[in-house]
Amino acid sequence: MSDHEYGGNDDLSLPKATVQKIVSEILPASSGVSFSKEARDLLIECCVEFITLVSSEANEISEKEAKKTIACDHITKALNTLGFSDYIPAVLEAAAQHKETQKVREKRGNKFEESGMTLEELEELQRQQFEAARERHA
């Protein structure tokens, strides 16, 4: 199945540097095993194809359920339907970690609200700081 079957775009890809970093963590230099650029590019194509396949199946599942948003449950059902049920525990763990990360970000709050200053006071402080920076770099 290709991207074209899903109305995809040939420009879809993953960042090469990110994929290389992941591969390097799995295959450290001390292992003596190298990973060619061609292999990395093929791996990227496979990853994009996998994402396309799973998201398309999840979309079909969500449409059957008359949902307009693909949820984590749709992804796990898609993985199961496609025969990738072994991945479900790792996906659920990653989803739980993501939820926790989001909670921490929400708890950080809004810097504007926590400052106790009015918008005008903050703008004046910003103007002063920019002026001081200009003087230092002049």
Side-chain angles (χ1 to χ4, degrees):
M1 292 183 200
S2 72
D3 289 343
H4 299 291
E5 292 178 45
Y6 301 105
N9 184 339
D10 286 334
D11 294 335
L12 294 176
S13 188
L14 297 172
K16 290 180 181 182
T18 302
V19 173
Q20 189 64 49
K21 181 179 177 190
I22 293 168
V23 169
S24 296
E25 288 175 5
I26 295 169
L27 299 174
S30 61
S31 71
V33 178
S34 62
F35 206 75
S36 71
K37 289 181 181 179
E38 292 82 14
R40 180 201 58 210
D41 292 345
L42 178 60
L43 180 60
I44 289 171
E45 287 181 38
C46 291
C47 291
V48 169
E49 189 67 28
F50 180 75
I51 292 167
T52 302
L53 179 67
V54 173
S55 60
S56 295
E57 184 66 29
N59 185 51
E60 288 180 24
I61 291 168
S62 69
E63 285 178 351
K64 287 178 186 172
E65 295 178 4
K67 303 286 184 182
K68 293 189 182 246
T69 302
I70 296 174
C72 189
D73 186 48
H74 299 127
I75 299 295
T76 57
K77 287 178 183 177
L79 288 169
N80 191 50
T81 300
L82 295 168
F84 297 110
S85 56
D86 291 349
Y87 290 101
I88 294 174
V91 167
L92 293 174
E93 183 180 334
Q97 288 174 352
H98 177 71
K99 254 185 188 172
E100 286 303 311
T101 302
Q102 292 304 105
K103 284 180 185 176
V104 169
R105 286 183 181 169
E106 289 172 8
K107 285 181 183 177
R108 287 185 189 154
N110 184 321
K111 288 183 181 180
F112 170 66
E113 292 172 359
E114 292 175 359
S115 73
M117 300 173 82
T118 67
L119 186 55
E120 292 78 19
E121 291 170 328
L122 286 169
E123 287 173 345
E124 177 60 23
L125 179 61
Q126 181 183 38
R127 187 195 62 71
Q128 291 171 0
Q129 290 175 344
F130 279 138
E131 184 61 36
R134 272 193 286 279
E135 289 174 8
R136 278 194 310 269
H137 297 286

